[in-house]
Each structure stands twice: as structure tokens, then as C-alpha cells.
Amino acid sequence: MHHQWLLLATCFWVIFMFMVASKFITLTFKDPDAYSAKQEFLFLTAAPDAGRSLRETHFPEELKLTGKMLPGGRLIQPLVYMQRLELVRNVCRDDTLRNLSHTAVSKFVLDRMFVCDRHKILFCQTPKVGNTQWKKVLIVLNGAFPSIEEIPESVVHDHEKNGLPRLSSFSDAEIQKRLKTYFKFFIVRDPFERLISAFKDKFVHNPRFEPWYRHEIAPGIIRKYRRNRTETRGIQFEDFVRYLGDPNRRRLDLHFGDHVIHWVTYVELCAPCEITYSVIGHHETLEDDAPYILKEAGIDHLVSYPAIPPGITAYNRTKVEHYFLGISKRDVRRLYARFEGDFKLFGYQRPDFLLN
């Protein structure tokens, strides 16, 4: 009798183990990438700072490990966007970079932030990083125009006509409410390439016919920063670099007013250490980042980011080398010292090919 009970118990144990094994096999075949995805997540979350333990790496609760499908069947995991936010947090905690990474949330910063109350979105403007197109997206969302194609170019930057309120136009209580609860994003770009774009746009081509850049700002920079006083040409990139790298340029910046937004740091524009952003996009990966931002903001079914011409967002090292050719190492190092916070906060490589 004892042997019969022992045999029966053994049979039940075998059946139970078979059921557990079957369940495991079923789950594995149902989601073959589940385990590898978790392993990849653990590896990437530790990547921003290899010296920190995994337990010290934290992400906001609202950021989930979920994939997003883009047109063409490409799967974009939000891991890279989580890494960008974690990198910003790490750099913000670095006391040695505090002067380069922190700024007050002043009226200057609040003036840079455009509001879409209808969809609870804040967009911080970082000029020379494709902001015109994002403004068009928000103009449509705010209902000023039915589609991006119908927005006249003359209206986009006319803040009396484009229907884009600035965050600074609200009361202190309303500002804090929006900063705490709205979806917030901005776009960055390699800092030196952005400066080249600003120089070309404002001092060389000036397509919007803004004469004050050539007739007021350029002469002011030349008078103070041109080394060869007999040189009569218009402003050169070397003059611009020397001005930007001067720690004592503040008085001149105040004289130039808000026009400096085209070349001040991302830190000064958007206060990334003081404001908790939902997504930080990169100009170099805008083809993927723009759809992701629209999806995360919950507006991808309402509007699309305008088509991006092939290759226009790619980093161009040859162009950077060409513009910095002949500029002294001292001036380039002073320029980097000013923009070092932007390089480190957003993961851009130190341009050793220019500095050494």
C-alpha cells in the first residue's frame, strides 16, 4: 500500500513538472525576444555611466519599455530617449560642470517655450535646429491653420499672427502648472555645427532679410574682435568664434538683445537641468525622432512632421573642418569651454580634431 501511494505521488510530480515545462516553452515561443529585450534594457540603462551600479540607475515611471512602430515597419525602442534623459540627469548632478549646465528659469527661458494648451504640449525653441517645422506643427495643433501646407512662411515667425502663445505670457501659477503637467520637448544638434548654421543664416545668406545682423551686430563684433584692423571684409567666421568664446562678451550680448538666441547655449535657452523634459530629440536622427515625439505627445494622428530632405540632418565633419580652418587653437578651445555643457549634456563628442 505504501508503495502504491509513493508511485501515485511520483506520477503527480512528473505531471506537474511537465505542465510547468510546457508553460515555459509556450511563453518562450510566443515571445522569443522577451528575454533578450530585457537583457538589452539592463545593458543600455547602465551605458550612460559605466562606473555606476545598476541599482543607481533610475528612470521616470512614465517611461516604459515599449516599442513604437514607424512607417515601413521599423521598430523604434524608446531606450535611446531614456538614455538621453538619464545622461542629462547625470551631467546636471556633476558639480564640476554646474556653471555650464544650470541656469535660472527666467523670462528669457519662458519666452523660448511655445504652448499648445489644446494638447498640453510645451516646445522649447532652439534656433538653427529645424524649429520652423515644429512651429508649423504647433500652429496647426492650436487651430490657427488647418494644415502645414496652408501656413504662409511670413506668418510662422510672426508671433502676433501665428497663434503660438509663449509660456511667459501666463501667470506664475499657470506657468508652474504647465511645466509640471505638460508634455515638454526640444531638439538639439552638434553645438559647433549649429554655430556654423547660425553664422551662415544670419551673416552670409540672411534669407529673411533681417538687416540688423549685417548692419548692427556684425560691425559690433568686428570692432571688438577683429585682429587685423586693416581688413575691410564683412564679418568672418573667425570674428564670430572669437566673440562667442570671450568670457567678457556679456555687455555686447545685452546690446544685441534677443537676437543672440541663434547662438547662445541650449542650457541658456531651455534650462534642461531645471525643467524635466519628456523627450529630447536630436537633429542628426530627426527622421526617427520626429515621429517618436508626435507619438509620445499623442498627436501623431492629427499632424505629421514635414518631409525631411535626404541627408540634410547628417553631421558633416568636412564642413566643420572647413569653417574652423585657420582659426587658432586658443580661440577654438575658448569656444569649446563655453559650449562644453551642451556637448556633455546631450552626448556630443568632444571635437578633438579641432582642439588638439
Side-chain angles (χ1 to χ4, degrees):
M1 189 69 174
H2 175 74
H3 291 292
Q4 288 178 336
W5 278 109
L6 186 60
L7 182 61
L8 188 60
T10 302
C11 290
F12 273 115
W13 177 252
V14 170
I15 293 170
F16 173 74
M17 290 301 294
F18 178 76
M19 290 173 64
V20 171
S22 299
K23 185 68 173 177
F24 176 78
I25 293 169
T26 301
L27 288 174
T28 302
F29 279 100
K30 183 181 291 186
D31 187 7
D33 295 324
Y35 179 74
S36 60
K38 289 178 183 176
Q39 289 294 90
E40 184 183 19
F41 176 68
L42 293 177
F43 171 76
L44 288 174
T45 52
D49 187 348
R52 303 175 68 208
S53 70
L54 187 61
R55 288 189 299 275
E56 295 175 311
T57 304
H58 304 286
F59 291 106
E61 186 62 30
E62 66 268 22
L63 292 174
K64 305 297 183 182
L65 184 64
T66 54
K68 304 292 182 185
M69 292 301 298
L70 296 179
R74 289 182 299 155
L75 180 65
I76 298 299
Q77 295 282 3
L79 298 175
V80 65
Y81 306 105
M82 297 164 73
Q83 282 184 283
R84 289 174 185 174
L85 296 173
E86 178 69 1
L87 177 61
V88 167
R89 283 190 287 274
N90 286 340
V91 175
C92 290
R93 288 193 290 259
D94 187 341
D95 288 337
T96 64
L97 293 171
R98 188 169 186 82
N99 290 339
L100 293 169
S101 60
H102 288 261
T103 192
V105 183
S106 62
K107 184 178 183 299
F108 181 80
V109 171
L110 299 175
D111 277 345
R112 310 280 75 77
M113 303 192 76
F114 295 103
V115 183
C116 175
D117 276 332
R118 186 179 295 184
H119 299 283
K120 297 187 176 181
I121 296 170
L122 295 179
F123 167 61
C124 185
Q125 178 189 24
T126 49
K128 313 322 305 165
V129 191
N131 286 272
T132 298
Q133 308 303 338
W134 284 111
K135 279 187 176 182
K136 290 178 181 178
V137 167
L138 293 182
I139 288 169
V140 170
L141 290 172
N142 276 346
F145 287 86
S147 71
I148 285 175
E149 293 72 27
E150 296 178 60
I151 305 172
E153 288 297 322
S154 60
V155 169
V156 178
H157 301 288
D158 187 334
H159 297 292
E160 293 183 1
K161 298 179 180 178
N162 64 16
L164 284 181
R166 298 174 188 265
L167 190 56
S168 58
S169 66
F170 296 87
S171 68
D172 288 346
E174 289 297 317
I175 288 170
Q176 290 305 316
K177 173 186 170 184
R178 285 165 175 78
L179 284 174
K180 288 178 181 177
T181 61
Y182 279 23
F183 178 89
K184 300 172 289 294
F185 76 100
F186 67 103
I187 313 296
V188 295
R189 178 184 192 177
D190 176 86
F192 279 8
E193 197 170 38
R194 172 178 169 248
L195 295 179
I196 292 170
S197 178
F199 177 79
K200 287 169 58 182
D201 184 59
K202 299 306 175 186
F203 299 111
V204 180
H205 304 305
N206 202 252
R208 291 200 201 102
F209 189 66
E210 298 163 310
W212 50 88
Y213 286 101
R214 287 182 182 174
H215 301 314
E216 296 176 29
I217 295 178
I221 293 173
I222 291 171
R223 278 194 300 271
K224 187 166 184 180
Y225 295 101
R226 178 157 293 177
R227 284 181 178 159
N228 184 356
R229 297 296 179 182
T230 62
E231 174 64 67
T232 58
R233 289 186 299 169
I235 187 170
Q236 302 297 299
F237 189 64
E238 181 180 9
D239 306 321
F240 189 55
V241 167
R242 199 170 295 120
Y243 149 63
L244 292 176
D246 180 8
N248 302 311
R249 76 195 173 278
R250 291 292 183 185
R251 183 176 296 179
L252 201 55
D253 281 352
L254 289 173
H255 176 68
F256 294 156
D258 275 3
H259 299 310
V260 301
I261 66 170
H262 296 278
W263 51 76
V264 300
T265 65
Y266 300 127
V267 169
E268 294 169 282
L269 291 168
C270 297
C273 287
E274 285 67 38
I275 297 172
T276 304
Y277 285 91
S278 311
V279 178
I280 298 171
H282 281 222
H283 185 260
E284 294 81 3
T285 55
L286 197 57
E287 291 87 346
D288 288 337
D289 292 3
Y292 179 80
I293 290 169
L294 296 177
K295 184 79 172 177
E296 289 299 294
I299 55 175
D300 56 314
H301 62 293
L302 299 173
V303 65
S304 297
Y305 189 83
I308 302 171
I312 197 170
T313 61
Y315 173 72
N316 189 336
R317 173 170 164 163
T318 302
K319 178 179 71 177
V320 174
E321 288 176 325
H322 170 74
Y323 269 84
F324 279 90
L325 187 66
I327 297 178
S328 73
K329 298 295 183 188
R330 173 183 174 273
D331 288 338
V332 179
R333 286 171 186 150
R334 289 179 71 172
L335 181 70
Y336 177 74
R338 181 184 174 191
F339 287 87
E340 184 180 5
D342 281 358
F343 275 93
K344 294 196 170 179
L345 277 163
F346 307 110
Y348 287 102
Q349 265 194 324
R350 185 177 185 270
D352 289 329
F353 64 96
L354 299 176
L355 297 168
N356 298 334

